[in-house]
Amino acid sequence: MADSSVIPLSDTAILSDNSNDSSSTIVWIGMSISFTGTFFSALGLALQRLSHKRNNELPLCEQKPAWRQWLNLLGVLALFGGALFALTSYGMAPGSLLNCMAAMTLVFNMILAPALCGEVVFAKDVWVNGIVIVGTVVAVVFGPHREVEFTESELMALFDTVRFAVYFSVLVVILLCMFCLWLVLLYDIDNRQQRQSYCINSSCGLLCCFTKWTPLTRSRLLRISYPVLAGLIGGNTSTYAKAFIELCETTSINGENQFVYGGTYFILLITVLSVTLQLAFLNHGLKRFEALFVVPVYQCCFMLSGIMGSMFYFNEVEQLSALQIGMFSLGVCISTVGILLHSTRRESNVDDALGDLSGLDSLKLKVDDNDEEDVTFHCELNP
């Protein structure tokens, strides 16, 4: 292979070009299917939030785990339906283009969250969603409009490219940092819910650093860590899922069985692992915090991660001219700004994770320095 950064198309590759009306129609059909999938995804998220809300209102002895809440299961089913629509569209249009459609979930969420969950929609939510729509339209119009079918050998070769190695390394570092932040904050807040005093060994600098922040600050950081982790993982799930769908299409349409190769099952495995982690973080985030915050941040990270994954893995950027790259990037930036503005909405229950600590006027920490090596922090609650 002369250039590891560019994978040549096979003779049997199927191209969807704007100059060909029939092929262009297939791309737009794929976009329409993806649009339908975003509705089911938003419906599933709203149903899950409603289920957690109703369950939390029950007495503690009557509360049920997530897998026994029928509304939550219905939400999972809706998410599964949305995923099926998304998987179908992956074989019809470029991944970076389809990931832009993920932002449209916010529009459906703005309608469904108040209708099902009773959450309040402000005027800001309306015009911010308008910004998201404008950005999505610009990105879709100027994005890549050519779809390529790959074989297993070509897809496995894409993992060896320099561009993907750089992208994946940066992604892993970000995920590890976010995971450590989430783990420490979750441990800290859950311990505060269970008791009014806790011990932290003075040698643990990271935990000691977080204890200097106010409970509200730590709760806000935890609030954002769930959707960020779910979105970053979810965006890559879409990339690997698209790769698997490409293998299925090559097998069924071209008659070249790709399931005799180990790489096919490797791609399937990482897809399943990614979607499992994605749903786990997203579900727990919705359980603790409101959907009108979690969903925008999740969709922002999902969209950016999915676009970058498609651009670096499938090398879709080579399809674009300089003007298209600029306008596509502008559209993505507009959508991202709209999503981030959406996430700054009023924090009606940001303190949910703090439990009894959320209503405190002040929190004082006293250091018990009887033992120089083992420092104990005591929380005094002032009504």
Side-chain angles (χ1 to χ4, degrees):
M1 206 161 89
D3 185 0
S4 63
S5 65
V6 179
I7 303 299
L9 305 181
S10 63
D11 294 336
T12 59
I14 298 177
L15 301 180
S16 296
D17 200 319
N18 285 335
S19 62
N20 186 297
D21 293 338
S22 177
S23 299
S24 180
T25 300
I26 295 177
V27 172
W28 287 107
I29 289 175
M31 297 296 294
S32 300
I33 293 175
S34 177
F35 185 79
T36 305
T38 60
F39 169 77
F40 280 96
S41 296
L43 178 62
L45 294 173
L47 288 173
Q48 284 187 316
R49 178 59 183 172
L50 177 61
S51 177
H52 294 316
K53 181 179 179 181
R54 289 185 176 180
N55 190 63
N56 291 336
E57 291 174 352
L58 296 174
L60 189 60
C61 60
E62 298 181 12
Q63 292 184 7
K64 300 177 182 179
W67 63 272
R68 291 184 57 192
Q69 301 172 30
W70 70 271
L71 274 176
N72 181 67
L73 296 178
L74 190 61
V76 172
L77 183 62
L79 285 172
F80 181 74
L84 288 181
F85 279 105
L87 289 174
T88 304
S89 66
Y90 286 157
M92 297 181 172
S96 55
L97 204 63
L98 294 173
N99 279 292
C100 294
M101 297 297 296
M104 295 303 296
T105 305
L106 293 176
V107 179
F108 294 122
N109 182 68
M110 183 184 66
I111 299 172
L112 294 173
L116 296 178
C117 306
E119 296 182 5
V120 180
V121 174
F122 303 102
K124 176 183 176 182
D125 298 325
V126 177
W127 62 262
V128 163
N129 274 283
I131 295 177
V132 172
I133 293 174
V134 170
T136 301
V137 171
V138 172
V140 168
V141 170
F142 290 94
H145 284 231
R146 189 180 66 186
E147 171 63 1
V148 181
E149 231 176 62
F150 294 93
T151 63
E152 182 270 349
S153 60
E154 290 172 334
L155 287 173
M156 294 305 295
L158 290 173
F159 285 107
D160 294 332
T161 59
V162 174
R163 63 173 185 274
F164 181 77
V166 173
Y167 162 74
F168 189 74
S169 299
V170 174
L171 177 66
V172 168
V173 171
I174 295 175
L175 284 175
L176 286 176
C177 291
M178 288 303 303
F179 181 78
C180 291
L181 175 66
W182 167 79
L183 196 62
V184 171
L185 290 171
L186 186 66
Y187 171 83
D188 176 59
I189 290 178
D190 282 351
N191 273 274
R192 285 182 176 277
Q193 285 183 309
Q194 295 171 5
R195 56 193 180 186
Q196 294 182 357
S197 64
Y198 61 95
C199 298
I200 300 177
N201 191 285
S202 59
S203 63
C204 184
L206 184 61
L207 284 174
C208 290
C209 175
F210 286 129
T211 58
K212 297 178 181 179
W213 296 343
T214 65
L216 182 60
T217 299
R218 293 196 293 274
S219 181
R220 284 173 172 169
L221 288 174
L222 181 66
R223 184 184 187 225
I224 199 173
S225 65
Y226 280 105
V228 168
L229 283 168
L232 291 178
I233 297 172
N236 285 271
T237 299
S238 67
T239 301
Y240 303 136
K242 176 175 172 58
F244 183 74
I245 294 300
E246 295 292 349
L247 293 175
C248 293
E249 281 198 345
T250 301
T251 300
S252 60
I253 297 178
N254 298 339
E256 302 175 8
N257 187 5
Q258 303 298 306
F259 288 87
V260 297
Y261 304 110
T264 301
Y265 299 97
F266 169 75
I267 293 175
L268 177 60
L269 177 62
I270 59 178
T271 301
V272 172
L273 289 176
S274 297
V275 75
T276 301
L277 290 172
Q278 168 194 350
L279 292 177
F281 281 110
L282 182 59
N283 188 56
H284 285 289
L286 289 169
K287 185 176 180 180
R288 285 177 176 265
F289 306 106
E290 60 182 8
L292 286 175
F293 174 84
V294 172
V295 174
V297 178
Y298 165 75
Q299 290 299 338
C300 179
C301 295
F302 182 96
M303 181 181 69
L304 293 176
S305 178
I307 290 173
M308 297 299 289
S310 294
M311 287 294 184
F312 282 91
Y313 181 65
F314 294 109
N315 198 27
E316 293 177 355
V317 69
E318 71 172 355
Q319 301 182 25
L320 306 178
S321 64
L323 174 63
Q324 286 179 302
I325 292 176
M327 294 303 295
F328 178 76
S329 301
L330 176 63
V332 172
C333 289
I334 292 174
S335 294
T336 303
V337 169
I339 295 172
L340 293 178
L341 286 173
H342 203 301
S343 68
T344 60
R345 71 185 309 276
R346 297 181 188 179
E347 303 172 0
S348 59
N349 59 349
V350 66
D351 303 320
D352 284 351
L354 289 176
D356 293 337
L357 290 177
S358 59
L360 300 180
D361 292 329
S362 62
L363 178 65
K364 292 184 179 180
L365 297 179
K366 288 187 177 180
V367 179
D368 194 2
D369 54 1
N370 293 330
D371 189 344
E372 295 181 358
E373 295 183 356
D374 188 10
V375 180
T376 304
F377 291 86
H378 298 283
C379 297
E380 285 194 356
L381 311 181
N382 295 338

